[in-house]
Coordinates of all heavy atoms in Angstrom, one line a residue:
K407 N 61.3 64.8 106.6 CA 62.7 65.1 106.8 C 63.5 64.9 105.5 O 63.4 64.0 104.8 CB 63.3 64.0 107.9 CG 64.7 64.3 108.2 CD 65.2 63.2 109.3 CE 66.6 63.4 109.7 NZ 67.0 62.4 110.7
I408 N 64.3 66.0 105.2 CA 65.1 66.0 104.0 C 66.6 66.0 104.4 O 67.0 66.9 105.2 CB 64.8 67.3 103.1 CG1 63.3 67.2 102.7 CG2 65.7 67.3 101.9 CD1 62.9 68.5 101.9
T409 N 67.3 65.1 103.9 CA 68.8 65.0 104.3 C 69.6 65.1 103.0 O 69.4 64.3 102.0 CB 69.1 63.6 105.0 OG1 68.3 63.5 106.2 CG2 70.6 63.6 105.4
Q410 N 70.5 66.0 103.0 CA 71.4 66.2 101.8 C 72.7 66.7 102.2 O 72.9 67.6 103.0 CB 70.7 67.3 100.9 CG 71.5 67.5 99.6 CD 70.8 68.7 98.7 OE1 70.5 69.7 99.3 NE2 70.6 68.4 97.5
N411 N 73.8 66.1 101.7 CA 75.2 66.4 102.0 C 75.4 66.5 103.5 O 76.1 67.4 104.0 CB 75.5 67.8 101.3 CG 75.5 67.8 99.8 OD1 75.9 66.8 99.2 ND2 75.0 68.8 99.2
G412 N 74.9 65.5 104.2 CA 75.1 65.4 105.6 C 74.3 66.3 106.5 O 74.5 66.3 107.7
K413 N 73.4 67.1 105.9 CA 72.6 68.1 106.7 C 71.1 67.7 106.6 O 70.7 67.3 105.5 CB 72.8 69.5 106.2 CG 74.3 70.0 106.5 CD 74.4 71.4 106.0 CE 75.8 71.9 106.2 NZ 76.0 73.4 105.8
S414 N 70.4 67.8 107.7 CA 69.0 67.4 107.7 C 68.1 68.6 108.1 O 68.5 69.4 108.9 CB 68.7 66.2 108.6 OG 69.5 65.1 108.2
Q415 N 66.9 68.6 107.5 CA 65.9 69.6 107.9 C 64.6 68.9 108.0 O 64.1 68.2 107.1 CB 65.8 70.7 106.8 CG 64.8 71.8 107.1 CD 65.2 72.8 108.1 OE1 66.4 73.2 108.2 NE2 64.3 73.1 109.0
T416 N 63.9 69.1 109.2 CA 62.6 68.5 109.4 C 61.5 69.5 109.4 O 61.6 70.5 110.0 CB 62.6 67.7 110.7 OG1 63.7 66.7 110.7 CG2 61.3 67.0 111.0
T443 N 66.7 74.7 101.4 CA 67.5 73.5 101.8 C 68.4 72.9 100.8 O 69.2 72.0 101.0 CB 66.5 72.4 102.3 OG1 65.7 72.0 101.2 CG2 65.6 72.8 103.4
V445 N 66.8 71.8 98.1 CA 65.8 71.0 97.4 C 64.6 72.0 97.2 O 64.2 72.6 98.1 CB 65.3 69.8 98.3 CG1 64.1 69.1 97.6 CG2 66.5 68.8 98.4
A471 N 72.5 64.4 95.7 CA 71.4 63.5 95.9 C 70.9 63.8 97.4 O 71.6 64.3 98.2 CB 71.8 62.1 95.8
F472 N 69.6 63.4 97.6 CA 69.0 63.6 99.0 C 68.1 62.5 99.3 O 67.8 61.7 98.5 CB 68.3 65.0 99.0 CG 67.1 65.0 98.1 CD1 65.8 64.7 98.5 CD2 67.3 65.5 96.8 CE1 64.7 64.7 97.6 CE2 66.2 65.6 95.9 CZ 64.9 65.2 96.3
E473 N 67.8 62.4 100.6 CA 66.9 61.4 101.1 C 65.6 62.0 101.8 O 65.8 63.1 102.4 CB 67.5 60.5 102.2 CG 68.7 59.7 101.6 CD 69.3 58.8 102.7 OE1 68.9 58.9 103.9 OE2 70.3 58.1 102.4

Side-chain angles (χ1 to χ4, degrees):
K407 183 179 181 181
I408 299 175
T409 303
Q410 184 185 46
N411 295 322
K413 297 181 179 180
S414 298
Q415 178 75 41
T416 301
T443 61
V445 173
F472 61 92
E473 294 181 1

